[in-house]
Amino acid sequence: MTDFRIGIDLGGTKTEVILLNGSSQELFRTRIPTVRDDYAATLRDIGSLVTQAEAAAGQKNIPVGIGIPGTISRKTGFVKNANSTWLNGMPFQKDLSAHLSRDVKVTNDANCLAVSEATDGAGRGSDLVFAGILGTGCGAGVAFKGQPIVGPNGVAGEWGHNSLPWTHDSELEARPCYCGKSGCQETFLSGTGLCKSYEMVTGLKLKGHEIAERAAKEEIHARQVLDAYFDQLARGLAAVINIMDPDIIVLGGGASNIAEIYTTVPQLLSNYVFGFECDTPIVQAVHGDSSGVRGAAWLNPL
């Protein structure tokens, strides 16, 4: 048995690898830009990252876990529901296992975030942790007592592909989603969705942190868009609380770095949660961008 585990986080914009030892200490970590729309290159890049991690460990054939922005169908073994659409319909787990010459464990990236933060992150000590990703896409994972809840269809926590609650039909119809529907929460609440909101108002394409910076300087359109985003996020999270009432909500992904989320959104929740009161903590992931990759490594228990 090896004392090492390798985790991979395959994101829409970056692919990251981590090497953990038997004490869950990080020994090596690096990231590269994700090559989009090229399935073969995705496999090659992951293989290269695993090779780098094994070189750092001085050992080969280390167990690998990977979080992907989708899930593996139990019926077909193929990827489904990935916003990295070039993965959909592909036998990714089988192909990657063959490429690395070992069994590879694959799950949704948000499940990895939930496991990581429930284990030794912001949700440590909480039984029921809901972990949302506000990144290139918008998904979520659920961990109960440190273990991921996946469900028979592999879609537990697929929060991003419900319609944004309490939203006018015209607003929903103006937001087509790659999944084939319109008005999915992903089209509003992801970092991509925030940028789209600003573009719809101004015609300008900015990154999320640039919008937040402009809002802090009271640029009127940025302020309006960001305030609308906070209200949209409160609506989305209120629906989660109404259904499962988690002990804590942890947020990761690029847009989770907007500090105002954690002061403004909790104050808005009671406008939408059934009963008009809410004390659910909303916190940022302790491990930041590394939460998903750490959780992926823990798919193979240390």
Side-chain angles (χ1 to χ4, degrees):
M1 286 290 290
T2 178
D3 287 332
F4 300 113
R5 296 295 184 273
I6 291 172
I8 300 282
D9 179 21
L10 176 58
T13 57
K14 55 88 179 173
T15 302
E16 186 171 18
V17 64
I18 197 170
L19 174 70
L20 299 181
N21 66 9
S23 300
S24 297
Q25 295 174 317
E26 177 186 316
L27 303 180
F28 174 81
R29 178 161 62 98
T30 192
R31 61 174 59 178
I32 59 174
T34 296
V35 177
R36 299 185 64 82
D37 302 316
D38 190 332
Y39 182 71
T42 299
L43 296 176
R44 289 196 302 270
D45 283 351
I46 293 171
S48 175
L49 290 173
V50 169
T51 297
Q52 292 179 55
E54 289 183 331
Q59 184 174 317
K60 294 186 176 181
N61 297 316
I62 297 173
V64 174
I66 180 167
I68 65 171
T71 192
I72 304 295
S73 168
R74 289 189 184 182
K75 289 185 177 181
T76 66
F78 297 161
V79 175
K80 65 176 183 178
N81 301 336
N83 63 358
S84 297
T85 53
W86 66 95
L87 299 177
N88 288 326
M90 303 301 289
F92 179 71
Q93 186 167 17
K94 178 181 177 181
D95 288 345
L96 188 59
S97 295
H99 188 71
L100 297 178
S101 300
R102 75 201 77 175
D103 181 51
V104 177
K105 294 191 176 178
V106 180
T107 193
N108 181 264
D109 52 4
N111 292 338
C112 295
L113 170 65
V115 169
S116 175
E117 290 298 317
T119 301
D120 68 350
R124 186 173 186 174
S126 298
D127 284 342
L128 186 59
V129 177
F130 180 88
I133 294 179
L134 309 176
T136 305
C138 174
V142 184
F144 182 68
K145 295 186 181 296
Q147 297 299 311
I149 298 175
V150 179
N153 300 301
V155 296
E158 274 298 350
W159 171 60
H161 292 281
N162 294 290
S163 296
L164 184 67
W166 304 289
T167 303
H168 194 277
D169 286 349
S170 62
E171 291 184 70
L172 299 176
E173 291 166 3
R175 303 272 184 148
C177 184
Y178 78 90
C179 74
K181 296 182 174 63
S182 293
C184 290
Q185 291 183 134
E186 175 160 312
T187 66
F188 291 89
L189 304 183
S190 65
T192 307
L194 172 60
C195 296
K196 181 64 176 177
S197 295
Y198 189 79
E199 183 182 358
M200 289 170 70
V201 171
T202 67
L204 299 176
K205 294 184 178 182
L206 295 182
K207 295 182 179 179
H209 71 89
E210 293 173 327
I211 297 169
E213 289 166 3
R214 290 193 178 201
K217 295 176 181 177
E218 297 302 326
E219 192 257 88
I220 185 168
H221 294 306
R223 185 73 264 165
Q224 290 173 346
V225 166
L226 199 59
D227 286 346
Y229 178 79
F230 294 150
D231 191 72
Q232 291 158 357
L233 183 55
R235 280 181 264 159
L237 293 176
V240 170
I241 295 167
N242 283 345
I243 293 170
M244 58 186 300
D245 208 1
D247 296 309
I248 191 168
I249 292 172
V250 181
L251 300 179
S256 74
N257 293 319
I258 299 173
E260 274 191 84
I261 286 175
Y262 307 100
T263 55
T264 301
V265 174
Q267 297 177 23
L268 298 172
L269 286 175
S270 59
N271 294 331
Y272 301 107
V273 170
F274 184 57
F276 300 105
E277 60 182 29
C278 184
D279 297 317
T280 307
I282 300 177
V283 299
Q284 189 171 13
V286 165
H287 297 297
D289 289 347
S290 296
S291 293
V293 75
R294 289 173 66 88
W298 282 325
L299 295 177
N300 293 289
L302 290 166

